[in-house]
Amino acid sequence: MTINEIAKLAGVSRATVSRYLNDGYVSDEKRERIKKVIKETGYVPSAQAQTMRTKKTRVIGVIIPRLNSDSIGGMVNGISSVLSAEGYQLILANTANNENEELKYLNTFKDNFVDGIILMGTIFTNRHKEILKSIKLPMGGSVEWNSDTQTASLSYDNNSIELVIGSTTAVLNGENKTLDTAPAIINGRTMLPIRFIAEGFGFDTEWDADTRSITIKKTEEITVDNSQPEAVETPSEDSKILIAYFSRAENIETDDAVDATSSASLNPQNVGIEGNTKIVADMIHNEIGGDVFSIQTEELYPADYEENVDLADEELDADARPALKTHIDNFDEYDTIFIGYPIWWGTAPMPVYTFLEEYDFSGKTVIPFSTHKGSGLGSSVRDIKEALAEANVLDGFTIEGDNAVNADDEVKDALDELNINGLIE
């Protein structure tokens, strides 16, 4: 017995049966018909298939500091009872009061599919924060596609949405809603209005136009003077610290008619504009000194975000190395080098890799830092380590874009944790 056969016997669509099985919105009359057919046929949904559809395993990872503790044992028993009553299973990880083990298990649970993590930590450091911030949780729910009618049917909890390719009319829980843009199929990809879907399902949404990413959570427009800097200073010869950064704000096409808006990575300051990465670079400079250097490209990126994102995607696919217009004459003088960037498509922008390949980093200490809106450092540290095999590349740190202007303490804590003073003394 399959879901298609259940749908046929109940006189409903396959999508309706799927919503029923995943606790989505179904009218009372159709719900009773499906329920009756399932009872008569003895149909049992495949747990594996449901996991693939809903992206839920109903498994929770629990990280504890030790096993030989009555209080922790009591908490674990309580957690187990609550999870069991809700239909969840528990995976227990014992760290033996070892901070590194906590980080290891956090990464293990992050990279392997669990629906949630409960951490009883011995300490909570910035490394813990970075791992937890980098965890991306699926919305859940289910999606069904009808190629004949070009209709996508989505369900989550008790809500349902139907979207038709080419139509600006959507159906949310039986009510017609008007979309700003119709769903479309572009280059074989089905493009659906994710913000409408998320908000229709009761999620809060936050948009980062710089990285073209949307943060979805349960439960000002900025107009800038986009003139290019008049000059880029060459780092002084007596400094051993270099803080190099790439910022979209300093690498986009601009004119008086351009309004670079809706970007959390652009922050109005007293002069021109400053991207989040530049702001963090200046904070590092204020803490430890050194020289600040802006990585700038010969060919500017489009001011239009969609065009910028498309170009960045093309560069990533081509493993491109955009030519740079700013250079450092005395690079060999530096021992410790910070490299900052926003996250584009899960890693550093391609001009950063041009910069890395332009100089000899052998024996130097390299500290990556990124600004982001939910993606953390992405794969950038791993990619930089691969590019700079002869350098000592540290794990670095990341700052959430929305918090950049107020991240002084967070930057200071990150530098303290990296023992920067010990590295440069």
Side-chain angles (χ1 to χ4, degrees), residues 46-108:
S46 164
Q48 183 178 11
Q50 282 192 313
T51 294
M52 293 178 64
R53 283 195 304 271
T54 65
K55 307 300 182 185
K56 291 184 178 180
T57 61
R58 304 197 75 79
V59 174
I60 303 295
V62 180
I63 303 173
I64 63 172
R66 55 182 177 146
L67 290 170
N68 58 339
S69 167
D70 291 339
S71 60
I72 292 175
M75 285 189 285
V76 171
N77 283 335
I79 292 170
S80 179
S81 297
V82 172
L83 293 179
S84 179
E86 297 296 326
Y88 285 85
Q89 294 179 312
L90 175 154
I91 295 179
L92 197 62
N94 174 33
T95 67
N97 287 314
N98 187 316
E99 175 190 342
N100 290 328
E101 288 295 299
E102 290 178 359
L103 298 171
K104 182 185 77 174
Y105 281 121
L106 278 174
N107 276 313
T108 297

Side-chain angles (χ1 to χ4, degrees), residues 6-22:
I6 294 293
K8 185 175 181 180
L9 291 172
V12 298
S13 69
R14 185 180 187 280
T16 302
V17 176
S18 176
R19 291 199 300 273
Y20 172 87
L21 294 174
N22 294 293

Side-chain angles (χ1 to χ4, degrees), residues 265-324:
S265 72
L266 304 181
N267 290 280
Q269 302 291 332
N270 292 330
V271 289
I273 59 172
E274 287 190 341
N276 289 330
T277 309
K278 168 66 162 62
I279 291 172
V280 175
D282 286 341
M283 290 176 179
I284 296 171
H285 170 76
N286 291 338
E287 288 293 328
I288 64 172
D291 295 318
V292 180
F293 175 79
S294 174
I295 301 171
Q296 296 183 17
T297 55
E298 289 185 355
E299 298 291 331
L300 296 176
Y301 286 86
D304 181 86
Y305 287 110
E306 292 187 8
E307 294 178 9
N308 192 153
V309 169
D310 289 343
L311 178 56
D313 189 22
E314 292 173 6
E315 289 181 344
L316 181 61
D317 287 343
D319 197 25
R321 295 294 183 268
L324 303 182

